[in-house]
Amino acid sequence: MNLAHRKRQLVRDELAEAALKLLAIQDFEDTTIDQIAAAAGVSRRTFFRYFQSKEDVIVESLATVGEELRAALEARPTGERPATVLRQTFCLFEQACAEIPEKTLRLTRLILHTPALNARYLERQAEWKAALAETLALREKASRHDLQPVVAVGVAFAALDAALGAWVAGDGKRDIADLLDETFTLAFPR
Amino acid sequence: MNLAHRKRQLVRDELAEAALKLLAIQDFEDTTIDQIAAAAGVSRRTFFRYFQSKEDVIVESLATVGEELRAALEARPTGERPATVLRQTFCLFEQACAEIPEKTLRLTRLILHTPALNARYLERQAEWKAALAETLALREKASRHDLQPVVAVGVAFAALDAALGAWVAGDGKRDIADLLDETFTLAFPR
DNA sequence: GCCGCGAGTGGCACTCAGTGTCAACCCTGG
DNA sequence: CCAGGGTTGACACTGAGTGCCACTCGCGGC
């Protein structure tokens, strides 16, 4: 049973890697699923047994981020002001950028510069926002329809977007942690 | 020449109206372009001469908002702080919500609740953000890579998103201007 | 060793979005 | 009357995504 599971993971990784290799030499729009499947040595039909769409091969790497963000937020000590809680929660992104910088940079640039991928990313981000707003509302004991947590999370993601945009614009030269510090200070003054 | 132009506009409106009528009775995903074209009395091919995609029939109504926002921002008197400038700029949305509330509410709910439409809307929003950030940067005489205007605009849209979300969640019962005041106060404290 | 069973796979056919092409058809101006 | 651009419908085609079915392979039971 565990062997079958690892075999599945193998094909999955093979497909994702084949997609990334193809996207290094041609545009996302020009890349067909037939090409990706052929490069991974499986049929087109099998591709769709692993990913729901062409975009998912790339964006799939963000699948677990939502739960990780929620867990990171819940782990923060009570009493911290929302701005600090959210800033610390976003340390999650710093880690990815620091551990494998060139791959993360390439992937981030790809997602931000490809309309179809950007759309899927924003879809994911909307889920993260909802999850974090809910968790933050519980934390702050806000009433159900209080807009404060929703706005705070939205502002935090505005800071994240600005920081990531500047990060790829500067080819990853500036430290993402510094950029996040700067945008958070601007977004949550005082 | 002007007659031909009005004829074009007629077909365009017919298609948009047919789409809205269909979406009142069935989901966006279940609605095919054949259905919309047939309802408007034209061929499928003609549909694509007026709209680039199925989503565009709905989102097309937002086509001019980008330039309108930019113009509204440029019209604000110098010396106003960014938070005030952006709040006043967004009065544009209040007008639409006030003039034809039930149609705007239906359209907004549709766009926010349909993944494909939401994706196109966010794409548009990204363009608006870029335009406003550029204009604001000129206004504030910020240096080219200053993050302040980008963050300010992002924060403003976080406030807009929260307000619009609450507006449709409350079925338009609460005044959108009040909601924007509330979310802007939360997003730009002091 | 054989049989059955479930999971993974490939192939095929199908729908639907979106695009290129071409012939027919206005309307308008000369 | 006719020559022109602009609009249209029909057809064919690619590519995304889905449903279906037959095949295979590894496994435990008999």
Side-chain angles (χ1 to χ4, degrees), chain B residues 62-151:
Chain B
L62 308 173
T64 62
V65 175
E67 270 316 302
E68 288 171 25
L69 282 174
R70 180 176 215 135
L73 196 155
E74 276 171 349
R76 298 306 306 171
T78 59
E80 270 183 346
R81 52 191 278 261
T84 309
V85 175
L86 290 164
R87 173 63 187 90
Q88 294 303 317
T89 299
F90 282 0
C91 285
L92 205 68
F93 294 104
E94 296 174 19
Q95 292 168 16
C97 296
E99 285 167 14
I100 34 173
E102 69 293 326
K103 186 176 178 184
T104 305
L105 186 61
R106 208 169 86 77
L107 198 64
T108 308
R109 193 198 313 281
L110 193 63
I111 291 177
L112 293 187
H113 289 25
T114 307
L117 293 176
N118 204 325
R120 293 287 176 139
Y121 166 66
L122 291 177
E123 203 173 319
R124 286 277 163 87
Q125 201 184 76
E127 296 167 15
W128 303 346
K129 282 181 190 170
L132 290 189
E134 191 188 343
T135 309
L136 191 63
L138 286 175
R139 220 185 119 90
E140 308 281 320
K141 297 180 184 56
S143 70
R144 180 182 295 268
H145 297 103
D146 199 345
L147 288 172
Q148 191 267 328
V150 178
V151 172

